[in-house]
């Protein structure tokens, strides 16, 4: 599951429903990925910086923009930071389309939707000195935020969706996701699962390993038969699930004893603050997520936007954001700044590219098969949402 091998199809997957039938639109460049033609609006890139404006309006995940570093940024640049928190990628996309925000911390399931709709602009990395050699290779030049040779996203951090377990109950370290998917799991009734249609990709990853005859090559490229198989597996799991969690409920599900094993995030496992809770990346691999700063095409404060992207790409500030949110930092130099930083990077596998080769970053399925197949039509996110409704009942 080498990300370098799947990158061409991952490009289209991350775009989402906005790309269905978008080929052949008016203007812009056209890129081919996995046999798909994707029309890209010709949004100009800034050639040079001007004077900083007096403010910058930022859309961000909770924990990405905090006074601990915004105060210093304002003192250094004169740019007052106005922050709005969003809860989902869909909300972020909708808000960016209002034209009221300069920057967004976009995940891979939002970034290309913004690119292909002309909501964000390509970035001149020469104007962002901290976007240099210290940014980990696995987060530079990825096709979910780099298109036609243009960079649209400045990496912030990444993470894997891991298998968490209570070692007092699950006494042997699991090596497979079978403990959450198989009907004979000894932990039935105590299994935590992520509450989203995109969780179908987790089922697809398990089927890739256990039912190769289905022919699944990309967990975000499922034809009707493959989606039906993943849905059946999830219905089987549904009978064993103790709780479908959100970030707000995951920790209490485990600490309260409602769940003893299930999918989780590294930061949520850490938040349990009890050594009996452990985690592992199973042999089948996992899903995951990656975030980047993106600048609005019609940003009213682009110079402050560039200043923010450079400031937050420095080892110290990028590391603060990563530690505050709970993720692997994008700037690998942070890992050498202190013993605490090294421990954080080790915990989140920050510079371990072999680890992240096992991770399929969240993308949004579309009608075109993202594994390159042209003889069938694949299912899209609306199909997944309908299937998810039948799973949860």
């Amino acid at each position: 599951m080498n990300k370098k091998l799947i990158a061409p199809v991952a490009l289209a997957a991350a775009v989402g429903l906005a790309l269905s039938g978008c080929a052949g639109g008016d203007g812009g460049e056209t890129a081919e990925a996995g046999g798909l033609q994707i029309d890209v609006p010709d949004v100009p890139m800034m050639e040079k910086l001007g004077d900083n404006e007096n403010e910058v309006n930022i859309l961000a995940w909770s924990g990405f923009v905090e006074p601990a570093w915004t105060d210093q940024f304002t003192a250094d640049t004169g740019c007052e930071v106005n922050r709005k928190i969003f809860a989902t990628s869909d909300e972020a996309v909708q808000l960016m389309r209002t034209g009221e925000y300069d920057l967004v911390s976009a995940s891979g399931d939002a970034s290309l939707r913004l690119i292909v709709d002309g909501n964000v602009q390509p970035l001149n990395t020469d104007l962002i000195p901290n976007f240099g050699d210290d940014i980990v290779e696995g987060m530079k030049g990825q096709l979910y935020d780099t298109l036609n040779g243009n960079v649209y996203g400045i990496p912030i951090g990444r993470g894997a969706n891991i298998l968490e377990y209570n070692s007092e109950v699950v006494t042997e370290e699991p090596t497979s996701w079978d403990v959450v998917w198989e009907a004979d799991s000894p932990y039935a009734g105590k299994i935590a699962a992520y509450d989203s249609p995109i969780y179908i990709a987790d089922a697809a990853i398990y089927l890739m390993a256990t039912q190769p005859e289905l022919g699944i090559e990309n967990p975000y490229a499922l034809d009707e038969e493959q989606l039906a198989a993943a849905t059946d597996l999830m219905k089987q799991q549904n009978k064993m699930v103790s709780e479908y969690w959100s970030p707000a409920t995951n920790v209490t599900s485990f600490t309260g004893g409602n769940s003893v094993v299930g999918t989780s995030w590294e930061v949520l496992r850490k938040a349990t603050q009890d050594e009996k809770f452990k985690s592992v990346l199973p042999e089948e691999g996992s899903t995951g997520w990656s975030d980047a700063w993106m600048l609005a095409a019609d940003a009213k404060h682009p110079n402050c936007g560039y200043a923010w992207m450079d400031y937050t790409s420095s080892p110290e500030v990028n590391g603060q954001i990563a530690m505050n949110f709970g993720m692997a930092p994008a700037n690998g130099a942070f890992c050498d700044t202190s013993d605490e930083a090294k421990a954080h990077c080790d915990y989140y596998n920050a510079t371990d590219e072999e680890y992240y080769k096992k991770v399929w970053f969240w993308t949004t399925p579309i009608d075109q098969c993202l594994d390159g197949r042209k003889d069938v039509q694949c299912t899209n996110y609306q199909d997944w949402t309908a299937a998810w409704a039948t799973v949860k009942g």
Side-chain angles (χ1 to χ4, degrees):
M1 284 181 259
N2 189 316
K3 286 190 296 177
K4 292 182 179 178
L5 296 179
I6 66 169
V9 294
L11 162 64
V15 178
L17 295 175
L19 292 190
S20 297
C22 76
D26 52 355
E29 301 176 51
T30 298
E32 290 193 16
L36 299 175
Q37 289 194 338
I38 303 171
D39 191 57
V40 182
D42 189 12
V43 180
M45 174 172 56
M46 287 181 64
E47 297 298 329
K48 61 181 181 179
L49 294 176
D51 294 334
N52 285 341
E53 305 84 6
N54 60 354
E55 63 181 339
V56 60
N57 300 316
I58 304 178
L59 278 172
W61 292 110
S62 178
F64 278 37
V65 181
E66 301 296 332
W69 48 88
T70 58
D71 291 348
Q72 187 61 53
F73 172 73
T74 300
D76 291 346
T77 65
C79 303
E80 189 75 29
V81 176
N82 305 312
R83 178 196 68 172
K84 181 175 178 59
I85 300 300
F86 60 82
T88 68
S89 288
D90 286 345
E91 181 186 2
V93 170
Q94 292 169 0
L95 289 169
M96 278 298 285
R97 288 172 176 166
T98 67
E100 297 177 9
Y101 302 94
D102 301 301
L103 286 170
V104 62
S105 61
S107 296
D109 58 343
S111 55
L112 286 181
R113 279 187 279 174
L114 294 170
I115 294 171
V116 300
D117 283 348
N119 301 130
V120 294
Q121 60 181 271
L123 301 172
N124 188 338
T125 56
D126 290 340
L127 305 180
I128 308 173
N130 282 317
F131 182 79
D133 294 338
D134 292 330
I135 301 297
V136 295
E137 287 303 313
M139 294 191 69
K140 290 175 69 174
Q142 296 300 317
L143 290 175
Y144 48 75
D145 59 17
T146 304
L147 192 60
N148 297 343
N150 290 324
V151 174
Y152 288 85
I154 301 302
I156 307 169
R158 59 183 172 176
N161 299 323
I162 44 79
L163 179 64
E164 180 175 349
Y165 63 99
N166 182 333
S167 62
E168 291 184 354
V169 180
V170 185
T171 54
E172 293 186 15
E173 180 182 77
T175 60
S176 169
W177 287 105
D178 59 2
V179 294
V180 305
W181 292 115
E182 296 297 339
D184 61 353
S185 171
Y187 312 110
K190 293 287 187 177
I191 295 171
Y194 186 54
D195 191 3
S196 171
I198 205 68
Y199 184 55
I200 290 173
D202 293 65
I205 286 175
Y206 186 66
L207 291 174
M208 288 169 69
T210 59
Q211 296 186 37
E213 65 275 11
L214 288 170
I216 301 174
E217 296 184 4
N218 182 318
Y220 305 101
L222 306 180
D223 60 33
E224 290 186 0
E225 179 183 356
Q226 293 164 341
L227 177 61
T231 303
D232 287 344
L233 181 60
M234 300 191 79
K235 288 179 178 178
Q236 174 176 287
Q237 185 196 53
N238 175 262
K239 301 172 184 177
M240 307 185 291
V241 168
S242 53
E243 185 169 357
Y244 288 101
W245 61 269
S246 69
T249 61
N250 174 281
V251 173
T252 55
S253 183
F254 279 93
T255 58
N258 195 31
S259 303
V260 299
V261 67
T263 185
S264 185
W265 297 343
E266 292 105 324
V267 63
L268 296 175
R269 196 275 284 178
K270 193 173 186 179
T272 56
Q273 297 183 336
D274 191 321
E275 292 184 358
K276 70 184 179 184
F277 295 105
K278 302 183 183 300
S279 62
V280 64
L281 182 64
E283 58 193 12
E284 298 92 357
S286 76
T287 56
W289 46 269
S290 180
D291 296 330
W293 297 115
M294 307 190 84
L295 183 65
D298 55 355
K300 297 179 177 63
H301 311 100
N303 294 288
C304 281
Y306 264 87
W308 175 262
M309 289 186 286
D310 187 51
Y311 174 73
T312 54
S313 294
S314 68
E316 297 78 12
V317 181
N318 180 249
Q320 288 180 52
I321 295 173
M323 291 187 72
N324 188 58
F325 184 79
M327 61 182 172
N331 194 318
F334 167 71
C335 303
D336 298 323
T337 59
S338 69
D339 290 342
E340 183 183 20
K342 183 180 185 306
H344 177 88
C345 289
D346 288 346
Y347 180 84
Y348 290 98
N349 301 283
T351 59
D352 186 352
E353 295 304 330
E354 290 301 314
Y355 177 87
Y356 282 104
K357 284 179 181 177
K358 302 175 184 177
V359 177
W360 295 81
F361 289 103
W362 277 342
T363 57
T364 306
I366 60 175
D367 292 333
Q368 295 91 334
C369 290
L370 305 174
D371 54 12
R373 286 178 294 167
K374 297 180 174 64
D375 56 340
V376 298
Q377 177 173 297
C378 276
T379 54
N380 59 35
Y381 194 73
Q382 290 152 313
D383 298 321
W384 285 35
T385 300
W388 180 243
T390 69
V391 171
K392 293 192 68 179

